[in-house]
Amino acid sequence: MAKKVAIAIGAHPDDIEFYMAGTLLMLKKAGYQTHYLNLASGNCGSADYNGATTRSIRNTEARAAAKTLGASFHPSIADDLEIIYSLELLRALAAIIREVKPKIVLTHSPQDYMEDHTNTCRLAVTAAFARGMSNFKTVPSRPCGDYDVTVYHAMPHGLRDPLRRLVAPGACVNMASVQGIKRAALAEHKSQQNWLDVSQGMNSYLLAMEEMSRAVGRLSKKFKHAEGWRRHLHFGFCAAESDPLSRTLGGDYLVNQAYERSLERG
């Protein structure tokens, strides 16, 4: 029987904890092997240290966060603001996908407030798409595989696209039982408290995460704390009806029927 594997692919250290960690924890509780990858090192995330020192600090923090989540850690493959949709990064990320063989990929929204997030999304989608293409070479070289993978997109920061329009989740995951662990994992990114306050006006990044999870919970009309997801189109990835989060999480996964009806209307 094929292993049940899920990977969260974020842009920067702390993005997984903000947007995806609750769902990753729920999957782990359900028996999935879980993996944790930030494409960028976080080297620009400080006003106090140079890039090399910041990169080292944030790598240590990310490893601690992954340990808190019980997920296998994968080192970053780029620096901040250098997540470009490029062949070099695609070959590197596709190698990780082929090595891990995930059934579920959790990643950023296709529309978000900054390009590192949106480019991470594009790279994750294409790397998953290329998993079975023998003529696409990865670096390092990894054998291709023929298996289904379902890609889920997290909610954009602030629940809005870059043109300020509200984005509705296609489904919500109840995080009540894992919210404390998610908060503890985010708290490992100690260097970000002052930086996010100064650079982006997040008055306590822990409170910002809590407010976002409550906002998604309110959208669900059922859960107190939730993460929202939109499922990627199935072509080239999996069967049309494939929704492993629903199958795995049961009552802790709530489909937004209004969103589904909007898809049917086109």
Side-chain angles (χ1 to χ4, degrees), residues 42-43 46 48-60:
N43 68 305
S46 176
D48 301 316
Y49 303 106
N50 63 27
T53 300
T54 303
R55 186 185 297 112
S56 177
I57 290 170
R58 300 202 69 191
N59 175 68
T60 299

Side-chain angles (χ1 to χ4, degrees), residues 21-247:
T23 302
L24 199 67
L25 284 163
M26 293 296 288
L27 288 170
K28 184 172 180 62
K29 285 178 61 177
Y32 271 73
Q33 294 180 8
T34 56
H35 293 256
Y36 173 107
L37 169 62
N38 305 302
L39 290 195
S41 66
N43 68 305
C44 290
S46 176
D48 301 316
Y49 303 106
N50 63 27
T53 300
T54 303
R55 186 185 297 112
S56 177
I57 290 170
R58 300 202 69 191
N59 175 68
T60 299
E61 292 173 343
R63 286 181 181 273
K67 184 176 181 179
T68 298
L69 297 173
S72 297
F73 177 84
H74 295 265
S76 300
I77 60 175
D79 277 335
D80 291 3
L81 301 183
E82 296 180 21
I83 303 177
I84 308 299
Y85 190 80
S86 65
L87 184 57
E88 178 185 5
L89 290 185
L90 182 58
R91 291 197 193 282
L93 181 53
I96 296 169
I97 292 290
R98 290 183 182 183
E99 180 178 339
V100 170
K101 298 180 177 61
K103 299 295 184 182
I104 294 174
V105 171
L106 308 175
T107 192
H108 287 290
S109 170
Q111 310 89 21
D112 213 333
Y113 80 114
M114 68 170 305
E115 291 299 307
D116 275 1
H117 287 201
T118 56
N119 284 336
T120 293
C121 170
R122 293 183 65 201
L123 287 162
V125 168
T126 307
F129 189 85
R131 69 199 180 284
M133 295 180 172
S134 59
N135 289 335
F136 182 76
K137 306 304 180 185
T138 65
V139 178
S141 179
R142 294 288 184 267
C144 62
D146 182 17
Y147 56 89
D148 281 359
V149 58
T150 306
V151 179
Y152 293 89
H153 298 288
M155 298 300 289
H157 192 70
L159 310 182
R160 294 182 180 273
D161 73 10
L163 297 179
R164 298 176 290 133
R165 295 170 295 200
L166 186 67
V167 174
C172 294
V173 172
N174 181 18
M175 298 189 306
S177 64
V178 297
Q179 182 71 8
I181 304 174
K182 174 173 174 165
R183 182 185 176 98
L186 182 59
E188 292 290 353
H189 299 278
K190 299 177 180 65
S191 68
Q192 293 308 283
Q193 174 63 75
N194 180 63
W195 167 251
L196 290 175
D197 285 354
V198 170
S199 69
Q200 298 180 39
M202 294 187 192
N203 183 20
S204 175
Y205 69 127
L206 295 174
L207 293 178
M209 180 276 288
E210 294 270 358
E211 175 50 36
M212 185 168 178
S213 71
R214 287 194 184 94
V216 179
R218 289 191 293 271
L219 290 175
S220 77
K221 300 180 181 178
K222 182 178 180 181
F223 305 136
K224 180 178 179 180
H225 290 283
E227 287 176 347
W229 297 98
R230 290 181 291 166
R231 187 156 40 105
H232 198 85
L233 190 64
H234 66 282
F235 295 123
F237 297 94
C238 57
E241 67 277 8
S242 179
D243 190 358
L245 286 184
S246 176
R247 185 174 65 251

